[in-house]
Amino acid sequence: MSEANGNTGRVPVEKTYKLFVKGEFIRSESGRSLPVPDAVTGGVTNVARASRKDVRDAVIATKAGHHSWAGKTAYLRGQVLYRLAEVMEGRRGELVEARKGAGASAANAAREVDASIDRVIHYAGWPDKISLLVSSLNPVAGPHYNVSHPEPTGVVAVVAPDGDAPALLGLVSTVLPVIVSGNGALVLAPESDPRTAVVWSECLATSDLPGGVVNMLTGLRSELVSQVARHMEVQALDVWKSTTVDDALAKEAAVLGADNVKRVKVRDGRGKTFDQWASDDAQGLHCIEPFLELKTVWHPVGL
Amino acid sequence: MATRKQTSTRVTRQARAEQRNGKHRPTSRTGTGAQEAALVVPTGGTRGPRGYRPPKSPPIEAIALEERAASIAKRSIKKASKVEGLKLAIAMMDLTTLEGKDTPGKVVSMCRKAARPSERLDLPSCAAVCVYPNLVAVAKRALEGTTVKVASVATAFPSGQSPLAVKLIDVRRAVDFGADEIDMVIDRGAFLRGDYGKVFDEIAQTKEACGAAHLKVILETGELGTYDAIRLASDLAIEAGGDFIKTSTGKVQPAATLPVTLLMLEAIRDHVDAGGRNIGMKPAGGVRTAKQALQYLCIVKETLGDEWLDPDLFRFGASALLNDVLMQLEKERTGSYAGEDYFSKD
Amino acid sequence: MATDITKKTHETKLAPRRERAGWTYAPSPEAKDHVRLKGRYDLFIDGKFVAPHSGKHFATHNPADESHIADVAEGDEHDVDTAVRAARKAFEGTWGKMRGSERGKYVYRIARRIQERARELAIVESVDGGKPIKESRDVDLPLAAAHFFHYAGWADKLDYAFAGRRARPLGVAGQIIPWNFPLLMAAWKIAPAIACGNTVVLKPAETTPLTALLLAEIIQECDLPPGVVNIVTGAGKTGGALVDHAGVDKIAFTGSTDVGKRIQRAIAGTNKRLTLELGGKAANIVFADAPIDQAVDGIVNGIYFNQGHVCCAGSRLLVEESIHDVVVRKLSRRIEQLRVGDPLDKNTDVGAINSKMQLEKIHELVAAAVSEGCAIHQSSAKIPTKGYFFAPTFFTGVSQSHRIAQEEVFGPVLSVITFRTPDEAVEKANNTMYGLSAGIWTDKAAKVFWMAKRMRAGVVWANTFNKFDPTSPFGGYKESGFGREGGRAGLAPYLEMV
């Protein structure tokens, strides 16, 4: 970060803010970038401005990531997510600085990062509980063994909370419930704070999470939402209305989502307070369930 | 005599095994009961003791099989179809008495009924009567001049737990007494302990002992435990030379059931599809009502077709069934439900 | 009746087999003198049968002989509005506030009354829709009653259903159902909705409205508070009015994927909840180690059940190449045993195609398959000259790219496709936009689980097919829709968690 190092005279190395796709940090194939003001330095940072082709590549990456991730045991997924919390704890300072750069006060940024890490811990415990709570052995009236159990939906696009929503907590609160069950997440980062999204992506990249499970695209929602919503390999949409996603754009996404019968969840993040985001009610099974499919398997019982 | 039998059986089994497996298989040995016991040594692999490799039978899905049987059993058979079917059932009936208290008198009156099931209705004779060997001669005499065959159970019926030599004598004596058909039992003990070679040999040798008599092989399906075992036993009995495969002795519950019959008919169908000869089927025990008999006929029709709706290829082993069929026919004739005392209990 | 059994014959033996005609099943028509049908049906709104606003009625026909059965009211936006208002009033006035234990007793009443009138309902179902009486009698009716029975018992146990959350009904549910299982689909929709405390406006399919209207009579007899269940008959336009009505809190739709997508678009941007149960193109996968005769029965049940008018029908048979010929031989023989004809004959296996339009669609897809070079295998069953019928048919030499393998035929037509390895079977099975159901036939348990895990389908039948139960959740992946019907999962679409 561009902090003053006047005492030593050393010139600090600046970070390049790239897209996070398939476990790698890449530039937009379009070569475009977006200037983002830094509230701490007063300067401007450039972040990648994802294009339609970046969306396409990210969807392919998310599909592959989902397949690899869903194939892991629930126990392992839990361990990897716990590791994510460890990495975030280790990068706590950087996450706090990133949030301050987007205008958060030092106290609020610290509070948010703590809440975010705790939320990751909450979800790290979920992978091997979901099926225990959602599955059933169905007592059918006949000689059949009949079981229902949840499976991940597949490729889920998350249009993360934006605007006055706490960027990191918003990301954690929406991405984690998607991936705990084995889904892959294609995330449209908040325009209000793309840098925190990238720093968090660095946590993801170093947390043993397989490449492609979470893919983070920074850029303009006005360009990207419809691309994501109409993509036929995307099976679910989690759209948070915000300063960058108004009613009309959310509706457009929902309409486009019908092209392949996407599971579309549109929620309003506008005006939601930090305390609401941080409350226990904003996490848990009900946040995970919209991105599950229930599979029922029948088998006869007889000699 | 015994040596000749052994040789020919060995050839038969070897030829069949080679035909199936495309290579040579070890041959069997047979001997006295004592020797047999000593020979039961597993040789590993899918091969049973004595090196015999049983037929590769398809697995059976029990519930789906039962559902199919139940669905055919729901066929609604009315009016002319019912009358036609019931007459067919009579013509397919092996009227049976297999009791310790059987006497010549009982057998003679049963034979009379088999030959002429009803005084009032003109009906076909039953296919056969089925009795113990000691009563074969009596039945034979009683049925002289009729088309009704005499079947005899043999091979230490119903358990089959005697030395092979004794079983073969049992068979030959029954044939000597005049039996047209022999209903043998397989050695379920040998089958269940995996000594398929012994089961095969006994069937093959019994077939040879039958001479011109037809051989029905009773699997005693109620003792075999699974449909898979029943299918294997069916395939094995067909391969060993049985003319008919038959479900039960009537002494063990459950005896004949619709799913078991369906599955045995499917075994026959696969055998015929593979170029084999036509094999007959005989459910026995548990078929007591006209309605059940029609259900069995539907299963035959929908599994092997009309060709098998023939006494040469399908029989019912039953004692109480005939009177119920007669009552139903009487009802079709008069429109009124009959009472059981209007039919002779022979 | 006079039969030949008293006639004297010279022979006591049967004539030789060759001289005997095959034993055949005589017609066995279900008696229908006890069926109480009216000549004309109005809309069922607010507990009463009321004339439609337009004054218009349309005819419903028997697809087996094209005869006219009854006239049914054509509901328009005005009628839908009246029905939604009645439902809202019932929700706010009585039903939504009623104790679950009391609601449950009403739902139990419906279950019992359906059982009491089961035979009559079965006959009407077969007459109006063309399905064989043995299926409406043994499948549709028992299951419809069982659904009401199952969900009746949930009414006072909703707080147990979702750990840590309290459940509240949504309000007014608009429900649109198809013509393939008319009464059963009404039961699947109405039972969970009202057990959870919602009120409903149901729109039955225009070709099969009668059993839903008899259900309306039953609901009246059960003395349900007026407006809890409203039934508005009509065609697509009526359904559209229901979808668009601002007073509806939830839409539940079962039908084609096309219409499902239109509904999803129509409610985008609103707060209406949605569940969709749409089309399918299920793979029924038969491995070489399968219990083969039962697999063939399963294939037959999978595709010819209800004339193939089943969204979860096993319409693509994926068979391991090494047993292809055996399966085809067995299947050819087996379809000859299927009896095609009068739906009311108790021995009919394949009844009438539901409508002329559907029959034409089947003809079109079959013609396309023939022209694309697929080999046709068809039962030689005699098809009645009157009415809409189609003989059980299957195609061999089909590849994934053929139209017949991709499009939902919704008729008694099966495509046979081969595979060599389990991986290939998985790839081909999932290679469709649909994901409703799948079938697996193998004797190896580990393979069942391996395959079941890889099927992108909501219902997987292993060594069985087309089984349904009120406790067993049903619904699709991918473009087969979302939401589940049946069991505890079937409550969620009708509840809000607080």
Side-chain angles (χ1 to χ4, degrees):
Chain A
M1 308 293 285
S2 340
E3 278 163 51
N5 280 304
N7 292 346
T8 61
R10 181 177 176 276
V11 177
V13 179
E14 290 187 340
K15 187 195 287 277
T16 312
Y17 291 90
K18 298 184 184 175
L19 308 176
F20 179 54
V21 176
K22 217 163 114 185
E24 292 164 9
F25 290 91
I26 57 169
R27 290 191 171 81
S28 167
E29 66 77 39
S30 68
R32 302 178 304 175
S33 61
L34 278 175
V36 178
D38 188 313
V40 174
T41 65
V44 166
T45 316
N46 291 316
V47 299
R49 177 176 162 188
S51 68
R52 195 169 70 179
K53 282 186 183 161
D54 291 321
V55 168
R56 182 198 60 191
D57 295 344
V59 170
I60 294 167
T62 311
K63 194 178 174 188
H66 149 62
H67 282 302
S68 142
W69 183 231
K72 311 279 186 227
T73 63
Y75 176 57
L76 184 66
R77 286 201 301 273
Q79 290 205 314
V80 169
L81 295 179
Y82 185 80
R83 172 78 186 147
L84 172 63
E86 289 178 350
V87 172
M88 287 170 72
E89 190 75 46
R91 290 183 179 238
R92 191 177 175 285
E94 196 180 352
L95 288 164
V96 168
E97 289 309 312
R99 285 299 293 133
K100 280 159 65 184
S105 71
N108 284 348
R111 202 151 65 100
E112 182 187 341
V113 172
D114 289 346
S116 301
I117 294 170
D118 290 352
R119 183 143 290 170
V120 174
I121 293 291
H122 170 78
Y123 280 110
W126 267 114
D128 59 357
K129 318 290 186 299
I130 301 166
S131 189
L132 293 176
L133 295 173
V134 177
S135 295
S136 55
L137 182 63
N138 310 310
V140 296
H144 288 88
Y145 185 74
N146 180 267
V147 185
S148 297
H149 70 278
E151 288 188 345
T153 297
V155 175
V156 181
V158 178
V159 182
D162 202 350
D164 49 6
L168 181 64
L169 186 57
L171 281 167
V172 166
S173 303
T174 54
V175 174
L176 267 290
V178 166
I179 64 171
V180 275
S181 61
N183 287 303
L186 167 55
V187 187
L188 298 188
E191 283 182 36
S192 58
D193 188 3
R195 284 173 307 197
T196 293
V198 175
V199 174
W200 186 54
S201 298
E202 288 167 3
C203 299
L204 295 166
T206 50
S207 69
D208 300 335
L209 197 71
V213 176
V214 177
N215 300 278
M216 186 75 68
L217 298 183
T218 53
L220 299 176
R221 264 83 186 284
S222 56
E223 292 177 353
L224 299 175
V225 168
S226 66
Q227 295 307 321
V228 165
R230 63 158 40 104
H231 200 295
M232 300 296 269
E233 292 267 27
V234 174
Q235 277 124 8
L237 276 180
D238 185 23
V239 179
W240 287 84
K241 289 187 196 170
S242 64
T243 49
T244 51
V245 180
D246 60 8
D247 292 348
L249 186 56
K251 181 177 173 178
E252 188 193 343
V255 170
L256 291 170
D259 286 353
N260 65 334
V261 196
K262 284 183 180 66
R263 290 83 176 108
V264 181
K265 188 98 187 156
V266 177
R267 282 168 284 189
D268 204 339
R270 292 173 295 199
K272 218 171 152 179
T273 64
F274 176 84
D275 286 342
Q276 282 173 317
W277 278 110
S279 80
D280 283 351
D281 220 34
Q283 64 185 20
L285 187 59
H286 64 286
C287 302
I288 298 169
E289 279 185 308
F291 309 104
L292 297 178
E293 305 289 325
L294 197 65
K295 178 183 277 180
T296 299
V297 181
W298 293 71
H299 199 283
V301 179
L303 287 174
Chain B
M1 179 77 174
T3 312
R4 187 180 60 77
K5 295 288 178 202
Q6 276 180 26
T7 309
S8 77
T9 301
R10 187 168 67 233
V11 169
T12 307
R13 197 177 81 189
Q14 190 177 324
R16 286 177 194 283
E18 283 176 2
Q19 189 188 354
R20 193 176 65 242
N21 301 321
K23 45 186 148 167
H24 176 79
R25 293 285 158 218
T27 56
S28 72
R29 289 182 296 168
T30 51
T32 65
Q35 279 172 313
E36 281 165 14
L39 282 168
V40 181
V41 180
T43 54
T46 54
R47 220 174 280 167
R50 300 151 183 266
Y52 171 69
R53 178 169 286 184
K56 187 164 168 21
S57 298
I60 304 297
E61 209 313 289
I63 301 304
L65 173 76
E66 288 167 1
E67 283 172 354
R68 171 73 180 140
S71 116
I72 302 177
K74 278 188 181 161
R75 291 296 190 200
S76 172
I77 305 301
K78 300 282 184 235
K79 301 183 175 148
S81 304
K82 183 171 172 183
V83 170
E84 193 61 33
L86 293 179
K87 287 168 75 175
L88 203 48
I90 292 172
M92 290 169 161
M93 220 173 279
D94 284 3
L95 210 53
T96 302
T97 185
L98 294 168
E99 291 174 3
K101 64 178 192 281
D102 283 346
T103 58
K106 156 85 186 174
V107 168
V108 166
S109 65
M110 186 179 79
C111 288
R112 199 174 294 139
K113 182 125 181 167
R116 191 168 178 76
S118 165
E119 293 303 320
R120 284 184 292 267
L121 307 171
D122 186 59
L123 298 171
S125 310
C126 293
V129 295
C130 184
V131 295
Y132 272 118
N134 274 352
L135 293 154
V136 167
V138 172
K140 197 67 190 170
R141 259 196 312 280
L143 290 167
E144 227 165 83
T146 74
T147 55
V148 182
K149 302 262 193 336
V150 176
S152 174
V153 295
T155 66
F157 181 94
S159 75
Q161 295 281 18
S162 290
L164 177 58
V166 174
K167 297 183 190 178
L168 293 176
I169 290 169
D170 198 13
V171 171
R172 287 191 201 105
R173 293 307 297 269
V175 173
D176 290 347
F177 286 140
D180 304 297
E181 301 174 355
I182 295 295
D183 289 23
M184 73 169 287
V185 290
I186 64 165
D187 182 341
R188 284 88 73 190
F191 182 88
L192 292 171
R193 71 176 182 263
D195 192 354
Y196 305 115
K198 179 167 193 287
V199 180
F200 184 102
D201 283 347
E202 292 198 355
I203 297 169
Q205 294 195 39
T206 304
K207 170 68 183 162
E208 201 160 300
C210 281
H214 273 236
L215 176 63
K216 307 195 197 97
V217 182
I218 302 173
L219 310 180
E220 196 65 298
T221 54
E223 286 187 344
L224 299 185
T226 64
Y227 290 120
D228 299 277
I230 296 170
R231 172 69 198 230
L232 175 59
S234 304
D235 290 339
L236 197 154
I238 292 170
E239 193 169 295
D243 298 306
F244 261 71
I245 48 177
K246 174 177 170 184
T247 58
S248 320
T249 60
K251 306 295 179 195
V252 167
Q253 287 303 321
T257 66
L258 291 167
V260 161
T261 302
L262 171 59
L263 130 73
M264 290 170 71
L265 290 168
E266 283 170 343
I268 294 170
R269 188 175 64 189
D270 286 346
H271 175 73
V272 173
D273 276 355
R277 72 215 150 89
N278 289 356
I279 303 294
M281 171 68 202
K282 178 177 172 184
V287 190
R288 288 189 187 84
T289 65
K291 187 174 177 172
Q292 281 178 301
L294 292 172
Q295 291 170 341
Y296 278 90
L297 294 185
C298 291
I299 286 200
V300 174
K301 179 178 171 64
E302 299 199 26
T303 308
L304 277 157
D306 291 340
E307 194 184 351
W308 255 258
L309 289 175
D310 188 288
D312 287 348
L313 290 170
F314 192 79
R315 295 280 179 85
F316 288 106
S319 45
L321 173 62
L322 181 56
N323 268 10
D324 194 63
V325 169
L326 293 175
M327 276 168 70
Q328 290 303 317
L329 284 170
E330 189 69 10
K331 188 247 156 187
E332 287 300 313
R333 186 177 70 88
T334 63
S336 310
Y337 287 99
E340 58 175 37
D341 285 341
Y342 295 85
F343 298 88
S344 61
K345 292 179 179 173
D346 301 294
Chain C
M1 63 166 278
T3 64
D4 62 349
I5 58 169
T6 54
K7 230 184 322 173
K8 284 283 169 199
T9 55
H10 297 296
E11 271 291 338
T12 48
K13 206 185 169 198
L14 286 186
R17 191 194 323 132
R18 266 170 243 70
E19 293 165 30
R20 268 187 283 130
W23 179 55
T24 51
Y25 306 158
S28 181
E30 179 75 41
K32 51 179 176 179
D33 47 341
H34 59 294
V35 173
R36 289 170 274 171
L37 268 185
K38 293 187 282 197
R40 165 182 282 214
Y41 284 91
D42 283 332
L43 306 170
F44 183 65
I45 296 176
D46 209 12
K48 297 180 291 290
F49 282 93
V50 296
H53 169 251
S54 66
K56 282 192 250 174
H57 286 74
F58 62 96
T60 183
H61 294 99
N62 179 346
D65 60 10
E66 303 169 49
S67 66
H68 173 261
I69 312 169
D71 288 326
V72 174
E74 188 179 316
D76 62 10
E77 306 93 83
H78 187 274
D79 299 311
V80 166
D81 182 58
T82 315
V84 171
R85 284 171 196 280
R88 173 66 55 194
K89 195 177 77 196
F91 176 69
E92 283 166 4
T94 54
W95 199 250
K97 296 180 190 157
M98 194 181 288
R99 287 164 52 88
S101 52
E102 299 301 305
R103 273 200 320 264
K105 286 190 282 184
Y106 280 113
V107 184
Y108 277 125
R109 277 188 190 174
I110 299 174
R112 273 288 186 259
R113 292 231 171 202
I114 289 175
Q115 287 173 328
E116 287 163 11
R117 291 178 68 179
R119 191 55 59 92
E120 183 189 359
L121 288 161
I123 291 166
V124 174
E125 200 73 306
S126 285
V127 168
D128 202 19
K131 68 171 62 200
I133 185 71
K134 72 169 184 184
E135 288 176 12
S136 38
R137 180 194 65 200
D138 298 343
V139 181
D140 296 61
L141 262 297
L143 274 177
H147 264 268
F148 278 104
F149 204 85
H150 177 75
Y151 280 106
W154 270 119
D156 60 349
K157 301 169 191 70
L158 299 175
D159 284 334
Y160 293 98
F162 300 93
R165 319 285 292 176
R166 285 187 74 82
R168 245 186 359 214
L170 301 172
V172 178
Q175 306 180 315
I176 301 170
I177 57 170
W179 45 260
N180 56 344
F181 295 90
L183 182 69
L184 183 57
M185 288 302 104
W188 280 28
K189 293 282 181 284
I190 295 172
I194 64 175
C196 289
N198 304 279
T199 56
V200 308
V201 178
L202 177 89
K203 206 289 280 179
E206 68 266 32
T207 61
T208 55
L210 293 180
T211 44
L213 292 164
L214 293 186
L215 179 62
E217 289 177 357
I218 287 172
I219 284 167
Q220 225 177 11
E221 289 164 16
C222 292
D223 227 3
L224 249 71
V228 173
V229 176
N230 304 274
I231 295 177
V232 180
T233 46
K237 226 178 128 203
T238 316
L242 184 55
V243 169
D244 291 337
H245 198 288
V248 169
D249 300 293
K250 186 226 157 52
I251 296 289
F253 171 75
T254 297
S256 73
T257 291
D258 250 12
V259 175
K261 288 177 182 177
R262 268 188 273 152
I263 292 174
Q264 193 178 354
R265 283 182 202 114
I267 69 153
T270 71
N271 287 325
K272 288 175 196 166
R273 311 278 187 106
L274 178 65
T275 43
L276 298 172
E277 202 270 88
L278 310 175
K281 192 75 196 176
N284 203 357
I285 304 165
V286 181
F287 287 97
D289 59 3
I292 196 144
D293 285 310
Q294 290 76 49
V296 169
D297 291 337
I299 294 163
V300 167
N301 176 40
I303 187 63
Y304 303 119
F305 172 63
N306 200 29
Q307 297 75 246
H309 300 331
V310 185
C311 45
C312 52
S315 51
R316 287 183 299 147
L317 171 63
L318 298 186
V319 58
E320 193 164 339
E321 209 171 300
S322 61
I323 56 161
H324 172 269
D325 294 353
V326 178
V327 168
V328 166
R329 185 182 69 222
K330 283 175 179 278
L331 191 56
S332 299
R333 182 161 43 200
R334 183 73 169 70
I335 64 173
E336 285 297 319
Q337 301 302 329
L338 294 173
R339 305 170 66 85
V340 185
D342 179 9
L344 282 188
D345 189 312
K346 286 176 258 184
N347 289 324
T348 292
D349 299 307
V350 177
I353 301 301
N354 186 263
S355 66
K356 194 171 178 201
M357 205 176 81
Q358 189 58 31
L359 181 63
E360 280 163 4
K361 189 185 153 199
I362 295 168
H363 276 296
E364 185 209 323
L365 282 164
V366 164
V370 170
S371 75
E372 283 181 310
C374 305
I376 187 167
H377 306 250
Q378 201 159 40
S379 146
S380 63
K382 275 209 187 69
I383 300 296
T385 46
K386 244 184 151 187
Y388 316 130
F389 290 91
F390 200 88
T393 300
F394 69 91
F395 283 99
T396 52
V398 182
S399 55
Q400 291 282 95
S401 59
H402 285 122
R403 261 184 88 190
I404 199 81
Q406 291 191 334
E407 291 181 34
E408 190 179 31
V409 182
F410 226 61
V413 182
L414 173 73
S415 299
V416 182
I417 299 165
T418 58
F419 69 88
R420 294 158 300 174
T421 63
D423 276 322
E424 190 181 342
V426 169
E427 191 177 296
K428 285 182 165 170
N430 288 337
N431 182 211
T432 162
M433 67 182 190
Y434 297 112
L436 190 51
S437 64
I440 301 164
W441 296 85
T442 169
D443 198 42
K444 192 169 176 182
K447 202 193 274 178
V448 166
F449 289 115
W450 191 91
M451 288 295 296
K453 191 174 170 182
R454 282 161 180 77
M455 292 295 101
R456 298 295 289 164
V459 184
V460 178
W461 286 295
N463 295 318
T464 184
F465 208 93
N466 270 346
K467 288 279 180 299
F468 310 93
D469 191 275
T471 67
S472 176
F474 184 92
Y477 282 40
K478 294 157 78 177
E479 293 197 22
S480 290
F482 45 75
R484 293 292 177 269
E485 298 182 286
R488 191 188 60 135
L491 298 168
Y494 293 100
L495 292 171
E496 186 176 30
M497 303 303 163
V498 289

